[in-house]
Amino acid sequence: MEGTSLAEVWQDVFQVQSAPPPWLVIAMGVVALAVVLVRGPWRIARNVVTIAHEGGHALVAVLSGRTLTGIRLHSDTSGVTVSRGRPDGIGMILTVAVGYITPSLVGLFGILLLLDNRITALLWLSIVILAAMLLLIRNVYGVVSVVGTGAVVFLVSWFTPADVQAGFAYLFIWFLLFAGVRPVFELQAQRRRQPSPQSDADQLDRLTGVPGTVWVFFFGLVNVAVVALGVWLLLF
């Protein structure tokens, strides 16, 4: 980023960049898919999915009129968002239901910015969201995770040339798009191996009377549909 004054930075952030070559878009998609499928990289990158997941809970909690208490992110890539309000009702149902579909939906929103070639704007919007979320984090690991993610995005957006920014942005969005699917399979595997009444699906079971397995299927269906739409938008 070349701007030094606030006005120049603002202009740089919202200017339209040149569209990257198709091979770069495809290559970043392949890399992102590999990160999701390979255990080692996935174990690290899954922290980003947890941030998006808990961020979705937090946003809908606020929009539905609940009082947000805080967010905790854990080293095992789990997380919890605590809010106060009615223990049932549509607000609580939506708050719990949105977590597993948020990463894919964020990826889809990012695609809309990329298709308009607003690459730097996408990166800086991510930084702003992470900064807002940081105010809600209530544990040390969560702070490290959010600050670390934000620092990587900032360094790329500030110090790298446009083609590197484009590659990173497409990698980031491809990853969110694909990464929404794997946690749904992990959720169902965990429910079979070690049932927990605190999982999102089982909370929704108690709130709605609809079996948790149906909710897992719903999460998976939404995320797969979003992936299909995202692939079509980016490649066709």
Side-chain angles (χ1 to χ4, degrees):
M1 185 173 292
E2 299 178 356
T4 54
S5 70
L6 181 59
E8 290 173 328
V9 170
W10 185 265
Q11 183 178 0
D12 287 342
V13 167
F14 287 98
Q15 71 178 353
V16 176
Q17 285 81 34
S18 300
W23 69 263
L24 180 64
V25 176
I26 295 172
M28 292 302 98
V30 172
V31 173
L33 184 59
V35 170
V36 172
L37 294 178
V38 178
R39 176 178 294 183
W42 171 248
R43 178 64 181 79
I44 298 172
R46 199 186 191 287
N47 287 284
V48 177
V49 180
T50 305
I51 292 172
H53 180 117
E54 299 305 329
H57 285 317
L59 177 61
V60 175
V62 172
L63 292 178
S64 62
R66 301 182 62 81
T67 300
L68 194 60
T69 303
I71 300 171
R72 300 177 70 87
L73 307 174
H74 304 135
S75 59
D76 63 355
T77 71
S78 66
V80 60
T81 297
V82 180
S83 62
R84 294 196 304 269
R86 284 186 56 183
D88 53 17
I90 188 63
M92 186 62 183
I93 292 171
L94 291 175
T95 297
V96 177
V98 76
Y100 275 96
I101 63 176
T102 296
S104 295
L105 293 178
V106 171
L108 183 60
F109 176 75
I111 288 174
L112 300 180
L113 289 177
L114 292 179
L115 291 178
D116 197 33
N117 294 319
R118 305 283 182 174
I119 294 170
T120 305
L122 169 65
L123 298 178
W124 276 71
L125 179 59
S126 301
I127 294 170
V128 170
I129 293 173
L130 288 168
M133 191 171 176
L134 183 62
L135 300 175
L136 302 169
I137 300 297
R138 297 294 182 264
N139 66 323
V140 174
Y141 183 84
V143 170
V144 172
S145 183
V146 172
V147 170
T149 303
V152 170
V153 178
F154 173 77
L155 291 173
V156 171
S157 67
W158 192 267
F159 293 108
T160 65
D163 54 347
V164 176
Q165 290 186 35
F168 179 83
Y170 274 90
L171 175 63
F172 181 47
I173 293 306
W174 273 121
F175 172 74
L176 287 175
L177 200 65
F178 292 140
V181 177
R182 180 166 176 171
V184 178
F185 286 95
E186 293 175 343
L187 169 64
Q188 186 60 17
Q190 181 181 13
R191 293 180 72 243
R192 290 176 177 174
R193 182 176 62 253
Q194 188 177 2
S196 170
Q198 299 306 315
S199 77
D200 290 0
D202 291 289
Q203 290 185 63
L204 288 166
D205 185 344
R206 294 193 299 274
L207 288 167
T208 65
V210 177
T213 302
V214 175
W215 283 105
V216 174
F217 178 78
F218 168 75
F219 298 153
L221 183 63
V222 170
N223 289 345
V224 169
V226 170
V227 169
L229 177 57
V231 170
W232 181 77
L233 288 172
L234 286 171
L235 300 183
F236 300 99

